[in-house]
Amino acid sequence: MSELHARIAGIGRYLPDNVVTNDDLAKIVDTNDEWIRERTGIATRRIEEDPEKGAAYMAAEAARVAIDRSGFAPEEIDTVILSTATPDRFLPSTACDTQAILGLPNAMALDLTAACSGWLYGLTMGEGMIASGRSKATLVVATEKMSGIVDWTDRATCVLFGDGAGAVVLAPANGDGTGIVSSFHCSDGNLGELLWRPAGGNICPMTPQTLENRDHLLKMNGREIFKSAVRSMAQACDEALSRAGMTGEDVDLLVPHQANIRIIQATAKYAGIPMEKVYVNVDRYGNMSSASIPVALDEALEDGSIQPGMRVLAPTFGAGLTWGAVVLQF
């Protein structure tokens, strides 16, 4: 194993209190609990009802826990990397809004957009900041208010997503073998329109017509996304494990992006990891985009699914298309 540069010093999550069941959704779209469970594995999801509690609010709630657990004071956090596909506004960045809420006076702050892969992308960027010596304490946050961009008239997509945030504080590795072991990331912009929001930018600004067509909301080609996700997450697992000098047999726990139980099962099968060694919470939270992996890691640490010394593989896939994986030693 090569020298480790960065470790997770603290981790935290935020989940809205409001639980929306499949039966609740059946009241607004033509669907039912059996249909949703069979195709996605999802039973409930968290939806933030308060319009004043946006992406920055959720990010700050998760980050406070991570910072407190890290042992760093707020003024010692020198970098904030924030992943979101659901910013509260286009300018300024959600990262800067989060910095202001938290009171981090000495931090540079920036947003990162890589959809569901964003937190893993941010984790690797943060590792680079630590390894270069330019950062001593990097906050990497993923925050997603997916309920704000979902088309609640589209039964194929509105059942999939939930709201939430997860955060870690990265610090220099301390020589005990814990930290980020390896990572792999890739993307293919040629497939961007498989999962996208057609309107709202410079090329297709919002107009009465685009609003009427609901083109400012999420659109997805589910069949093609499924095939691309399975193929890309398999590649990501292979590459990250190879770079770590490991195989699937060396993995103690698989913590994948929580998009769909069928994708999770296919990824585990390809990696040669039995489902009893896979952490799953998509049934309770749905797809929280880039927040899904940090939330799952925090839960797994809290409930004892991750113990000291365990090796964790975390693969992801998202719009862009983007994908990747990291290997973590706890």
Side-chain angles (χ1 to χ4, degrees):
M1 184 182 298
S2 61
E3 179 186 359
L4 307 188
H5 299 289
R7 62 183 172 88
I8 294 175
I11 187 168
R13 69 183 186 270
Y14 171 80
L15 295 161
D17 293 330
N18 180 44
V19 178
V20 175
T21 68
N22 293 340
D23 289 334
D24 292 330
L25 293 180
K27 297 174 184 177
I28 62 173
V29 291
D30 181 16
T31 192
N32 59 68
D33 179 67
E34 181 181 4
W35 188 92
I36 298 170
R37 284 177 187 260
E38 180 182 339
R39 288 162 176 78
T40 70
I42 300 168
T44 63
R45 69 283 296 148
R46 302 294 182 92
I47 301 296
E48 182 55 75
E49 291 185 299
D50 189 340
E52 298 300 315
K53 294 180 178 179
Y57 170 86
M58 296 194 300
E61 290 296 298
R64 281 195 183 96
V65 178
I67 293 170
D68 182 64
R69 290 172 173 173
S70 75
F72 288 98
E75 57 270 21
E76 293 179 289
I77 303 297
D78 52 37
T79 307
V80 178
I81 300 172
L82 186 145
S83 164
T84 188
T86 61
D88 295 331
R89 49 191 179 183
F90 290 126
L91 288 173
S93 70
T94 304
C96 284
D97 287 338
T98 302
Q99 177 197 26
I101 295 170
L102 292 170
L104 308 178
N106 300 312
M108 62 169 274
L110 71 150
D111 280 3
L112 181 158
T113 304
C116 302
S117 305
W119 186 77
L120 286 193
Y121 275 43
L123 197 70
T124 299
M125 291 176 62
E127 179 192 24
M129 294 289 289
I130 297 288
S132 70
R134 295 182 181 275
S135 175
K136 297 298 183 184
T138 298
L139 175 66
V140 183
V141 194
T143 179
E144 305 287 7
K145 194 170 183 178
M146 297 300 294
S147 59
I149 66 170
V150 165
D151 184 348
W152 290 101
T153 68
D154 178 11
R155 74 169 188 164
T157 57
C158 75
V159 303
L160 301 176
F161 297 97
D163 300 337
V168 296
V169 175
L170 293 180
N174 54 18
D176 65 355
T178 63
I180 301 170
V181 179
S182 70
S183 63
F184 167 79
H185 304 284
C186 198
S187 60
D188 185 354
N190 293 304
L191 302 177
E193 293 185 11
L194 294 182
L195 181 55
W196 68 322
R197 297 173 66 190
N202 286 328
I203 300 300
C204 185
M206 286 191 192
T207 65
Q209 186 63 48
T210 61
L211 290 172
E212 182 180 345
N213 293 341
R214 309 181 77 79
D215 288 336
H216 60 298
L217 301 174
L218 196 69
K219 311 289 183 185
M220 183 176 74
N221 183 328
R223 186 183 301 274
E224 293 302 317
I225 282 291
F226 180 90
K227 290 190 294 186
S228 293
V230 172
R231 181 173 59 251
S232 299
M233 288 175 71
Q235 179 202 20
C237 288
D238 279 347
E239 291 287 347
L241 288 172
S242 175
R243 295 178 184 192
M246 296 166 52
T247 69
E249 294 182 353
D250 299 313
V251 174
D252 296 303
L253 191 68
L254 178 69
V255 183
H257 171 48
Q258 306 286 315
N260 177 307
I261 190 61
R262 292 181 176 180
I263 295 174
I264 292 171
Q265 290 168 338
T267 302
K269 182 178 180 179
Y270 179 87
I273 299 171
M275 284 301 296
E276 56 264 29
K277 294 171 64 176
V278 182
Y279 196 84
V280 177
N281 64 12
V282 68
D283 55 321
R284 291 176 284 130
Y285 304 134
N287 182 347
M288 293 183 289
S289 189
S290 65
S292 73
I293 288 179
V295 167
L297 288 173
D298 187 34
E299 279 198 336
L301 284 162
E302 189 175 272
D303 70 18
S305 297
I306 297 176
Q307 294 288 333
M310 291 181 68
R311 291 161 292 194
V312 174
L313 173 63
T316 189
F317 171 88
L321 297 176
T322 60
W323 60 95
V326 298
V327 175
L328 302 168
Q329 177 83 35
F330 283 89

